[in-house]
Amino acid sequence: MYEHDVIVVGGGGAGLRAAIAAQEEGADVAIVTKLHPVRSHTGAAEGGINAALRDGDDWELHAYDTMKGSDYLGDAPAIETLAQDAPEEVFQIEHWGMPFSREEDGRVSQRPFGGLSFPRTTYAGAETGHHLLHTMYEQVVKRGIQVYDEWYVMDLAVTDEETPEERSCHGIVAYDVQSGEIAGFKANDGVILATGGPGQAFDHTTNAVACTGDGYAMAYRAGVPMEDMEFVQFHPTTLPSTGVLISEGVRGEGGILYNADGERFMFEHGYANNDGELASRDVVSRAELTEVNEGRGFEDEYVMLDMRHLGEERIVDRLENILHLAEDFEGVDGLKEPMPVKPGQHYEMGGIETDENGLTCIDGLYAAGETACVSVHGANRLGGNALPELIVFGARAGTHAAGGDLGEAQIETGERGDIEYDETELPYQPGEVGMDTGSSGVAADGGAVTADADAVVEREVEAQRERVSTLMEKDEGVQHSQIREDLQKTMTKNVNVFREEEGLKQALRDIREIREAYQDVYVDDPSRTFNTDLQMTIETRNLIDVAETITLGALVRTEFRGAHWRAEHQERKDDEWLKHTLVGWNDGDPTIFYRPTILEGENKTYEPKERSY
């Protein structure tokens, strides 16, 4: 058994920042990650980092823009923490060597981004995430922080008291991809989940193949509620053939969108009369799909993004990476012709319910980054707010897990306090009720009620070894690839930008059938080393759980708010729905409940207003 004070699961932006912060508090820290850190998906983030740095801007304006962008479903303590801490974090990574783009006078450059009232997005060309990863990984190496890369974390070692709020997390169980070893990692002070998003639940996504929702699913099955999972962001500019992201920075620099009639439709069709292409992402994505659905798209699939008028010098200086992506994946020279783009799944606004210090309702279990829901983003994330979330809340989670004093949290977690339960009649029983899951351990729930942390970890190690043995010993059944394809098809068809009640119900029926099919899954590759078949089989189970929470939230929320559009409910209903949707695993019999949104900030109360751009 390996042992450290703080164990960080995931080596992307949030994980690296959490590890550095915990180490600065004096903890013995380890990062356990299925990828080498610089291969993490944070490296695909192109746009930038929002922070109020200049005269004329301040954290309160940043907070207001973020609350408005969230369609008033973000929690004020979280939003204000982000806005207040972001400048200091930007200064810190700049001092560590982050190669920000700069103005002629040497100041860090900032550009406009969608939904912002001030150009506050700092950036490093169109490769901001890539440079952020390398900057922080250098600090990890410099500090001698242990990194277990290509170790796939299979589950948490959590005690199994009756209610999650009584449970404690004592570590993790991981599979060494290189050797096939399954081992326990004991965490004396805390486990921080920073595993990225669940984009592989959809078949057209900007997310990497590794983004399989592992952290969400492990925390969910351990008893932590999933918060606001219905709010999935579809980025308006992805390449049609691959889902590769084209940065919002193109529109921030002045790129324009037009349809097959040559119209700059964001203005000419009234989707965003003031901000046009720089309206929030949910607005632009719906506009693009409306253009296509009404026959004004190219090849009934996409619209065009044009940056030629910006000039070669400006494009090469600030957006060079975009030229390479357009050429490599679409055969388009962005200096001479427009690029085809369409919406693609990009980001999960919801996630593991945490407070503003990253702590969940389970003692010793934290989450940060896209995996977590603080909630900063509410119903819609503004461009440029994901990277500051990584470093701000990664740092806070690392500090708190290592014993640092951040003050008392204002955000409550768990199935307690001011909550109400949902009474929606569902078309099919979610979770695993009525299923014979056998002794394979695929549910991977909890551990044992014991005060002995070592025993909790060892018990979970044995459960995971049994799980793998069962999967490997079978020589027939259904393979994960077919199950995953079926899941992606129903999510893309029924839980996409435009959602209808019957489609959401059909998705739940499909997920039930997919969950039943998974009981017959087997691993075809018999090897124990570099067995991607085994890893992807386990990842697919995680995707099933995450997809179900997304769909449940989408069905029960009967309103139109932010990224969540319902055909039968075409208005935002503040009287009914200024509240967070929470889904608890409840030992395989999920419960849905709600908690009010916190709109009271440090100096003001955010009054919901009509969101227009």
Side-chain angles (χ1 to χ4, degrees):
M1 183 187 299
Y2 302 89
E3 183 174 349
H4 299 273
D5 294 334
V6 175
I7 293 173
V8 180
V9 182
L16 293 175
R17 187 66 188 91
I20 294 167
Q23 191 267 349
E24 288 177 333
E25 285 292 322
D28 169 25
V29 187
I31 297 172
V32 186
T33 171
K34 65 181 179 181
L35 300 171
H36 189 278
V38 299
R39 292 188 61 231
S40 297
H41 189 60
T42 302
E46 298 164 354
I49 306 171
N50 290 340
L53 303 179
R54 295 192 177 176
D55 292 341
D57 196 14
D58 58 47
W59 73 262
E60 290 177 309
L61 287 173
H62 185 185
Y64 175 78
D65 290 344
T66 300
M67 180 63 83
K68 177 183 174 183
S70 79
D71 220 352
Y72 298 92
L73 205 73
D75 283 329
I79 288 173
E80 293 188 349
T81 297
L82 174 82
Q84 289 170 352
D85 289 5
E88 182 180 346
E89 285 294 325
V90 168
F91 295 150
Q92 179 63 82
I93 59 174
E94 194 275 339
H95 292 164
W96 285 338
M98 175 79 175
F100 284 112
S101 297
R102 296 184 181 271
E103 303 297 326
E104 291 185 2
D105 62 6
R107 291 185 301 166
V108 169
S109 296
Q110 292 184 286
R111 61 185 169 203
F113 246 49
L116 300 184
S117 59
F118 192 92
R120 69 173 62 93
T121 308
T122 64
Y123 59 95
E127 307 88 33
T128 310
H130 171 81
H131 291 299
L132 180 65
L133 270 183
H134 281 264
T135 298
M136 290 198 292
Y137 182 62
E138 287 173 0
Q139 292 298 313
V140 166
V141 173
K142 175 182 177 181
R143 296 157 189 265
I145 295 172
Q146 177 76 51
V147 179
Y148 299 89
D149 64 276
E150 295 193 333
W151 278 80
Y152 176 62
V153 177
M154 304 172 70
D155 211 355
L156 303 169
V158 177
T159 58
D160 208 14
E161 285 87 359
E162 184 175 351
T163 65
E165 294 78 17
E166 298 175 289
R167 297 173 190 166
S168 298
C169 180
H170 292 299
I172 61 171
V173 179
Y175 162 73
D176 181 1
V177 176
Q178 183 174 352
S179 70
E181 175 191 5
I182 296 174
F185 290 74
K186 179 184 173 186
N188 296 320
D189 296 328
V191 171
I192 302 172
L193 296 172
T195 55
Q200 288 300 312
F202 295 82
D203 67 8
H204 187 80
T205 176
T206 66
N207 285 196
V209 174
C211 295
T212 51
D214 301 326
Y216 301 81
M218 290 188 291
Y220 178 49
R221 294 193 298 265
V224 181
M226 296 295 103
E227 179 177 356
D228 292 339
M229 292 296 287
E230 63 267 34
F231 296 107
V232 180
Q233 181 165 92
F234 294 86
H235 198 288
T237 55
T238 75
L239 296 178
S241 62
T242 60
V244 167
L245 175 68
I246 296 299
S247 170
E248 191 164 313
V250 175
R251 288 172 287 133
E253 293 293 339
I256 63 173
L257 293 166
Y258 64 86
N259 61 21
D261 294 336
E263 298 170 315
R264 198 172 170 184
F265 56 87
M266 291 302 299
F267 291 104
E268 295 186 41
H269 287 270
Y271 299 110
N273 292 323
N274 296 321
D275 292 352
E277 287 86 358
L278 285 179
S280 64
R281 289 174 176 176
D282 59 315
V283 173
V284 182
S285 288
R286 283 192 294 270
E288 290 180 3
L289 285 181
T290 300
E291 292 298 297
V292 171
N293 292 342
E294 293 183 358
R296 296 187 294 273
F298 291 85
E299 299 183 13
D300 293 325
E301 183 182 10
Y302 52 83
V303 297
M304 288 293 184
L305 175 62
D306 196 351
M307 63 178 182
R308 293 173 294 178
H309 56 285
L310 301 179
E312 182 174 355
E313 181 179 353
R314 186 173 180 183
I315 292 172
V316 171
D317 177 49
R318 301 187 177 194
L319 301 166
E320 183 179 7
N321 186 47
I322 303 304
L323 293 175
H324 299 311
L325 294 174
E327 176 66 36
D328 292 345
F329 294 108
E330 297 292 342
V332 169
D333 182 350
L335 295 174
K336 299 178 180 179
E337 51 193 328
M339 297 170 281
V341 293
K342 73 175 189 178
Q345 191 281 338
H346 181 58
Y347 188 90
E348 173 59 68
M349 270 78 75
I352 300 168
E353 184 197 34
T354 74
D355 63 25
E356 59 268 43
N357 298 330
L359 184 61
T360 72
C361 65
I362 293 179
D363 186 48
L365 181 60
Y366 295 76
E370 185 175 353
T371 309
C373 183
V374 185
S375 156
V376 165
H377 309 303
N380 174 68
R381 175 174 72 77
L382 294 183
N385 266 355
L387 294 184
E389 179 193 26
L390 299 184
I391 52 181
V392 166
F393 292 102
R396 294 181 71 87
T399 298
H400 198 272
D405 183 10
L406 296 175
E408 185 177 351
Q410 299 179 54
I411 296 172
E412 194 162 26
T413 60
E415 201 168 337
R416 55 193 171 191
D418 185 10
I419 61 173
E420 61 176 294
Y421 289 92
D422 182 78
E423 298 180 355
T424 302
E425 184 175 341
L426 301 174
Y428 237 107
Q429 173 63 47
E432 290 186 333
V433 172
M435 288 189 184
D436 179 14
T437 58
S439 60
S440 66
V442 294
D445 294 312
V449 179
T450 174
D452 184 357
D454 287 17
V456 174
V457 177
E458 287 292 351
R459 178 173 173 133
E460 192 57 38
V461 169
E462 290 307 311
Q464 294 307 313
R465 286 174 178 165
E466 180 183 350
R467 176 188 190 186
V468 169
S469 294
T470 301
L471 289 170
M472 301 283 282
E473 286 168 3
K474 293 173 66 174
D475 56 10
E476 62 180 5
V478 61
Q479 290 193 287
H480 73 84
S481 56
Q482 183 59 56
I483 293 173
R484 188 179 295 204
E485 181 181 348
D486 291 344
L487 181 69
Q488 291 173 337
K489 282 182 178 178
T490 193
M491 292 299 289
T492 300
K493 179 179 180 181
N494 297 310
V495 200
N496 211 290
V497 174
F498 295 130
R499 299 168 174 178
E500 300 179 359
E501 181 174 342
E502 186 49 47
L504 294 171
K505 289 181 176 179
Q506 183 60 50
L508 284 177
R509 295 187 192 100
D510 293 342
I511 291 169
R512 180 68 178 189
E513 293 176 2
I514 289 165
R515 194 183 284 282
E516 290 172 345
Y518 189 86
Q519 305 310 310
D520 198 30
V521 76
Y522 79 107
V523 176
D524 190 46
D525 183 352
S527 69
R528 288 288 177 140
T529 61
F530 294 102
N531 192 333
T532 55
D533 191 16
L534 171 62
Q535 181 176 325
M536 295 183 78
T537 298
I538 297 170
E539 289 172 336
T540 297
R541 163 60 203 270
N542 292 337
L543 285 169
I544 294 170
D545 288 338
V546 175
E548 188 171 69
T549 65
I550 294 170
T551 310
L552 285 170
L555 179 63
V556 301
R557 184 174 286 272
T558 53
E559 68 161 350
F560 167 22
R561 185 183 298 271
H564 175 61
W565 184 97
R566 284 289 301 271
E568 305 84 4
H569 305 280
Q570 282 295 289
E571 69 230 354
R572 193 180 78 185
K573 302 175 183 177
D574 290 342
D575 291 343
E576 299 177 49
W577 286 104
L578 276 176
K579 56 190 178 184
H580 300 294
T581 310
L582 295 138
V583 182
W585 177 244
N586 192 31
D587 296 327
D589 184 12
T591 56
I592 302 171
F593 59 101
Y594 305 101
R595 176 175 285 111
T597 304
I598 303 173
L599 297 178
E600 294 77 29
E602 181 178 306
N603 301 318
K604 62 183 290 187
T605 296
Y606 297 87
E607 297 292 342
K609 300 175 182 177
E610 181 181 354
R611 194 172 60 115
S612 62
Y613 293 99

